[in-house]
Amino acid sequence: MTQPHTPAGPAEPTGARTEAQWRDILTPEEYAVLREGGTERPFVGEYTDTMTTGTYRCRACGAKLFTSQEKFGSHCGWPSFYAPLAKDTVRYITDSSLGMERVEVRCAACDSHLGHVFHGEGYDTPTDDRYCINSISLTLDEG
């Protein structure tokens, strides 16, 4: 298996709220994923199979993260994108929490957990990256 790479992106988030403020803004399910790094169950998310044209934003802060143009059907159980909207919209953290090394993807604006990026899985996309993103971390502006 090819080792995931870490694309360039901002090293630190550009803005944040206190955890108490996040608890007031987010539902308990959103908080568990966005602020505590949880993962929603596969194949249950609102955007898993959606191919609607639009822009995906961070559910926590509203920052633009991905577009439908880069979304593809990976059949992995979560929405998949082959690239973010721009390299500075997300940041990357090495994640060794499950006994393997993965690359966590976070919102560059508010540091919320979005999912993980995997490289070299053989998908027929321009980057061979799969940004595996929790639906609950996103909202979709259609159009």
Side-chain angles (χ1 to χ4, degrees):
M1 174 184 211
T2 305
Q3 285 286 31
H5 73 293
T6 305
E12 295 296 327
T14 56
R17 293 183 164 105
T18 67
E19 292 309 307
Q21 290 170 320
W22 285 124
R23 285 188 188 277
D24 288 341
I25 294 168
L26 302 170
T27 68
E29 295 82 11
E30 292 167 348
Y31 187 88
V33 173
L34 289 156
R35 305 308 305 163
E36 296 177 326
T39 301
E40 67 188 347
R41 290 177 305 142
F43 301 104
V44 300
E46 180 178 6
Y47 304 120
T48 300
D49 297 318
T50 299
M51 294 310 285
T52 303
T53 301
T55 301
Y56 291 87
R57 294 177 174 268
C58 175
R59 189 174 297 260
C61 73
K64 293 179 180 178
L65 301 171
F66 301 94
T67 72
S68 57
Q69 184 175 337
E70 292 82 26
K71 191 170 189 296
F72 70 101
S74 68
H75 311 289
C76 71
W78 294 273
S80 296
F81 304 85
Y82 64 80
L85 177 67
K87 69 179 181 179
D88 63 347
T89 60
V90 297
R91 54 189 297 257
Y92 305 92
I93 310 256
T94 300
D95 176 1
S96 303
S97 63
L98 296 178
M100 63 179 149
E101 193 159 301
R102 302 181 297 168
V103 178
E104 179 184 2
V105 180
R106 293 189 186 184
C107 175
C110 70
D111 201 36
S112 288
H113 172 76
L114 303 172
H116 291 84
V117 61
F118 302 94
H119 181 72
E121 296 179 316
Y123 287 103
D124 186 22
T125 64
T127 63
D128 200 17
D129 287 337
R130 177 173 57 95
Y131 286 76
C132 184
I133 306 298
N134 292 287
S135 283
I136 201 167
S137 297
L138 303 171
T139 59
L140 174 61
D141 290 343
E142 293 185 25

